[in-house]
Amino acid sequence: MLLPHHQRHNRSIAFEEDGNGSQPLTHRNVTGNGDEEVELEDSNTGSSSVPLHPLGIKPLGNKYFSNGNDARKYMGSLQGLPDEMLIQLLEYLDTRTLRLLGYTCKFLFACCMSDDVWKTIFLVSELGKKAAFPWLGSWRATVLGLSPEKQIQVDCSNVFSDVLHRPFVCSHISLRNYTTKIPAVNEIDHMEDLSYDEFAEKWSKKPFILTKCIQPWPLNQAWSIDSLLAKYSDVVFRAEAVDWTFKTYCEYMRNNRDESPLYLFDRKFAEKMNLTIGKEEGAAYWKPDCFGPDLFELLKAERPAHRWLIIGPERSGSTFHKDPNATSAWNAVIQGAKYWIMFPPSASVPGIYVSKDSSEVTSPLSIAEWLLEFHREARQLPECREGICRAGEILHVPSGWWHLVVNLEDGIALTQNFVPKSHLVNVLSFLSDKADQVSGFKDEVSDPYNLFVKRLREECPELLEDGLKQLAEKQSQKKRRWDAVVGDSEADDQPQKKSTGFSFGFGFGGDEDEEIP
């Protein structure tokens, strides 16, 4: 979950002011056409080329090195509001008022040009409910119907604001700085293929990438963004908060400057595209044999959402999360390449905040911000696993593993969640103990846990018996931990008794380190 602007982490960067524009301290780079770029120092590699903001907006730190006027002084009584609050306030204005306010002074002009503000306006407007419309390169231009030659340009080089400048920086960081030179100890294992026995015996609890597993899929050679556009241009797909035709989404994908581009993530794609899935005549693809039986298949029509078509441009992706209902997953790249960084269930991921019951996961950062602020720290943790999954390859995400994924180029992928036998107890535990966090089931399924148990009892009674036995042991272990904690607390209140020094880890939930309920 991405927090509002006023709760996001900001890092101010100072640049020297000279006659040609904004330059970083000790760094300068002039391109061949005379335009200047700034070399933004990052925590991973030392520098990353970022062009000047198109309006000339600079980070807040530059104000202390500038001899010119500060545009904020001309805002009248509004200058008493922090930038974060001001941006939030603007999101409540209608388009006419927002434009008029922007013409009062340069600082407000810069604020009223913020595409984050116009994206919010778009989503609640009538235009935001349409599936097809002309995308004009930005949220503001699209809402106002402005072609490039009609878009006003004002020199805002005396505007200093991290809130306004940082999204621009994040949309221009070099992903290569974070996705290359992966330490050997972090590298996700690569193999050509696996048998189910190998998977069940050794690999069901580890991430890995298979390089020669999905080549037989008919769509593996037939699909590209261009080929899908030619065939499905008028099909409406889900892309986060919007439902757009594929033609509209492709226009957006190929011409946007968002810090976090919209990610097409559609669970009804097979029906919309009239695809056959499975090993039968005319099938587009099928689940890989190496992952074995998917126990959620026993739920048949009542199983929760489990497969998705994923399409997105460079920089799009998903911030840190665990897959739903304690399921495992595979993610097959058809076009493009994806960078993955992963951590086991019990790990504490830098920059990620989890509620005590694990019901809420909060990341106050976009993918780019997380890379800037926490990637270096995360890469040094012994639990960290990283890798790039390229076209024609498939990655395994074990149950409960944290993962962030970002597209390194425009791409297509297919993903599916599944329940292998080795993770049955994890799923039973989740459905039983975290019923309020269960997701993806239809409204008429009121008791997913007992439904799953019933189907297992009918089809796999021995497997269910073993799973329930492990579940009982797991719950008993948690109770013993709780009793030990309470015992230690009571001992602290009685000085005559010697403390046993009991210690434990508060993990994020998982096989090895469950949270105390």
Side-chain angles (χ1 to χ4, degrees):
M1 178 179 70
L2 187 61
L3 292 182
H5 292 286
H6 68 285
Q7 296 182 36
R8 296 170 74 178
H9 181 88
N10 287 311
R11 182 181 62 178
S12 182
I13 301 162
F15 297 89
E16 289 177 337
E17 181 76 12
D18 63 19
N20 297 313
S22 171
Q23 296 301 318
L25 299 178
T26 74
H27 291 284
R28 180 170 178 172
N29 179 33
V30 182
T31 60
N33 60 8
D35 294 333
E36 299 199 40
E37 296 179 336
V38 298
E39 293 293 329
L40 169 65
E41 184 173 336
D42 65 45
S43 60
N44 226 50
T45 63
S47 68
S48 171
S49 182
V50 176
L52 283 172
H53 192 286
L55 296 179
I57 298 170
K58 302 182 181 70
L60 181 61
N62 282 47
K63 182 167 66 174
Y64 305 105
F65 298 92
S66 173
N67 296 321
N69 290 329
D70 178 3
R72 222 178 189 286
K73 297 177 181 179
Y74 305 99
M75 291 173 58
S77 58
L78 288 178
Q79 65 181 296
L81 297 178
D83 292 0
E84 296 88 348
M85 185 179 296
L86 180 60
I87 289 293
Q88 283 198 308
L89 177 63
L90 298 181
E91 293 175 356
Y92 291 93
L93 302 182
D94 60 66
T95 57
R96 181 175 183 275
T97 305
L98 188 62
R99 294 182 78 183
L100 291 175
L101 181 64
Y103 298 147
T104 59
C105 73
K106 287 188 176 182
F107 196 96
L108 285 174
F109 176 83
C111 291
C112 292
M113 289 289 287
S114 168
D115 235 24
D116 284 334
V117 172
W118 287 95
K119 180 179 180 181
T120 301
I121 291 173
F122 172 92
L123 293 175
V124 299
S125 70
E126 287 300 315
L127 186 60
K129 300 174 184 177
K130 293 183 178 181
F133 54 87
W135 172 260
L136 299 176
S138 71
W139 297 100
R140 181 179 184 273
T142 300
V143 170
L144 299 176
L146 299 175
S147 56
E149 64 273 9
K150 293 182 179 180
Q151 296 177 34
I152 188 171
Q153 293 294 320
V154 174
D155 179 10
C156 295
S157 56
N158 61 340
V159 172
F160 306 98
S161 171
D162 289 336
V163 170
L164 297 176
H165 188 266
R166 189 169 179 81
F168 175 77
V169 170
C170 289
S171 68
H172 285 83
I173 69 166
S174 172
L175 294 176
R176 178 178 173 81
N177 290 341
Y178 305 92
T179 61
T180 57
K181 298 181 181 179
I182 297 174
V185 293
N186 291 8
E187 186 77 47
I188 295 173
D189 290 290
H190 284 65
M191 298 168 283
E192 289 190 355
D193 207 346
L194 278 178
S195 68
Y196 170 64
D197 289 340
E198 291 172 318
F199 171 76
E201 180 180 346
K202 182 178 179 182
W203 293 99
S204 66
K205 297 183 180 181
K206 300 178 182 179
F208 57 81
I209 294 173
L210 301 180
T211 60
K212 294 185 178 180
C213 174
I214 64 172
Q215 275 67 24
W217 288 358
L219 63 74
N220 190 50
Q221 300 299 325
W223 276 18
S224 68
I225 292 174
D226 288 336
S227 69
L228 294 184
L229 181 59
K231 190 172 183 179
Y232 303 105
S233 63
D234 295 326
V235 175
V236 176
F237 292 101
R238 186 72 172 176
E240 298 185 28
V242 299
D243 295 288
W244 289 350
T245 64
F246 193 57
K247 178 182 178 181
T248 298
Y249 180 76
C250 284
E251 290 175 357
Y252 164 84
M253 181 174 65
R254 291 167 171 171
N255 182 24
N256 79 88
R257 47 184 190 241
D258 287 356
E259 175 185 354
S260 301
L262 290 181
Y263 210 13
L264 189 154
F265 214 91
D266 196 292
R267 63 186 177 91
K268 297 182 179 180
F269 71 96
E271 297 85 350
K272 294 176 180 180
M273 302 168 74
N274 196 28
L275 299 180
T276 299
I277 300 174
K279 289 188 174 180
E280 55 189 87
E281 188 71 25
Y285 76 99
W286 48 85
K287 67 177 186 179
D289 294 333
C290 65
F291 299 117
D294 176 1
L295 297 178
F296 259 4
E297 289 184 349
L298 299 176
L299 298 176
K300 299 179 181 177
E302 295 169 296
R303 79 174 297 174
H306 62 288
R307 63 187 175 214
W308 292 266
L309 169 68
I310 309 173
I311 299 177
E314 179 185 355
R315 303 191 323 276
S316 63
S318 301
T319 55
F320 273 105
H321 65 283
K322 293 182 179 182
D323 283 331
N325 305 325
T327 56
S328 298
W330 52 259
N331 188 295
V333 178
I334 310 303
Q335 178 182 339
K338 295 177 181 289
Y339 169 75
W340 293 75
I341 182 165
M342 310 176 71
F343 294 87
S346 59
S348 295
V349 183
I352 305 302
Y353 308 97
V354 184
S355 62
K356 289 185 177 181
D357 63 355
S358 299
S359 62
E360 294 187 11
V361 177
T362 302
S363 174
L365 307 168
S366 66
I367 292 173
E369 286 179 305
W370 188 88
L371 292 173
L372 279 168
E373 300 296 339
F374 294 104
H375 184 266
R376 184 177 184 179
E377 176 186 350
R379 176 170 270 185
Q380 294 172 347
L381 296 178
E383 308 99 325
C384 179
R385 295 294 177 268
E386 303 174 73
I388 296 176
C389 192
R390 305 182 188 280
E393 300 179 343
I394 187 171
L395 179 139
H396 171 242
V397 182
S399 171
W401 274 63
W402 294 99
H403 50 284
L404 174 151
V405 57
V406 60
N407 284 303
L408 303 182
E409 53 193 81
D410 296 356
I412 305 171
L414 292 168
T415 188
Q416 182 162 321
N417 294 89
F418 67 101
V419 180
K421 292 180 179 179
S422 53
H423 286 296
L424 173 59
V425 65
N426 290 358
V427 177
L428 289 172
S429 176
F430 191 92
L431 296 180
S432 173
D433 300 338
K434 299 183 178 181
D436 60 324
Q437 300 175 38
V438 173
S439 63
F441 284 89
K442 297 177 181 177
D443 292 341
E444 53 265 32
V445 179
S446 58
D447 191 350
Y449 171 75
N450 280 313
L451 174 64
F452 190 37
V453 168
K454 177 184 177 183
R455 298 292 171 81
L456 284 167
R457 185 171 286 117
E458 293 169 351
E459 302 290 339
C460 310
E462 294 182 1
L463 185 63
L464 173 63
E465 182 180 355
D466 183 58
L468 292 176
K469 181 180 178 181
Q470 292 183 52
L471 178 61
E473 292 175 352
K474 192 174 187 179
Q475 292 173 336
S476 176
Q477 184 182 35
K478 290 199 299 184
K479 184 178 185 302
R480 289 196 299 271
R481 289 180 180 179
W482 176 255
D483 290 343
V485 173
V486 173
D488 278 357
S489 298
E490 292 175 348
D492 290 340
D493 295 334
Q494 301 178 36
Q496 68 274 20
K497 294 184 179 180
K498 185 176 180 180
S499 172
T500 60
F502 174 82
S503 63
F504 59 89
F506 283 90
F508 290 15
D511 295 338
E512 300 175 356
D513 199 5
E514 287 287 339
E515 277 193 2
I516 303 302

